[in-house]
Amino acid sequence: MVAGSLVDRLVDSGQSFIKFLDEAGVHPRSALWRRRPDSEDWELVLATATAGANGPRAAYEEVLTVYRQHEAELEPLRADDLVVVELDHPLIRLHLVLFKTGPGISRIESRGNAV
């Protein structure tokens, strides 16, 4: 992953990945980039219904299947940059309260906030 600031190319890769997930029938309810707590790297957090209904393993399998099909196109996004959580994860609940975006992909930048 890219250390330091989140570069446009990585954001673009994440957006493309979300579109690939939608096309494959995996519809993330929410997706956001966050800085890893233990480093300067970033991770793409995806909230899916599968994570809550069938558990994290099934959710990761679903997401990684799509990732592997498009891995070359998604550079610099890596599989270990992906985090899959349940829809009721506290970070996702907070995200949905703070940012009302509606359907589709929105690019909202939030800097200097600690959660």
Side-chain angles (χ1 to χ4, degrees):
M1 174 65 85
V2 179
S5 62
L6 186 58
V7 296
D8 286 338
R9 189 164 167 231
L10 189 57
V11 173
D12 291 342
S13 294
Q15 184 172 334
S16 294
F17 183 53
I18 292 166
K19 289 178 182 177
F20 290 139
L21 287 170
D22 280 336
E23 290 169 3
V26 180
H27 303 288
R29 171 67 171 91
S30 185
L32 60 101
W33 286 99
R34 76 171 175 188
R35 193 178 299 257
R36 292 182 191 266
D38 56 345
S39 74
E40 292 294 308
D41 291 344
W42 293 86
E43 59 191 6
L44 180 59
V45 180
L46 303 162
T48 70
T50 303
N54 301 327
R57 183 179 181 146
Y60 273 102
E61 288 175 2
E62 185 176 61
V63 166
L64 290 175
T65 296
V66 175
Y67 175 81
R68 287 184 195 109
Q69 292 170 349
H70 301 281
E71 187 171 0
E73 302 166 74
L74 294 171
E75 188 68 36
L77 183 67
R78 300 179 314 182
D80 63 347
D81 296 334
L82 305 173
V83 176
V84 182
V85 298
E86 297 178 14
L87 298 176
D88 67 348
H89 186 279
L91 178 62
I92 299 305
R93 286 197 325 255
L94 178 62
H95 178 251
L96 293 174
V97 168
L98 293 175
F99 303 105
K100 304 281 189 207
T101 60
I105 297 175
S106 301
R107 286 190 177 204
I108 298 173
E109 190 172 323
S110 177
R111 293 179 185 235
N113 296 311
V115 177

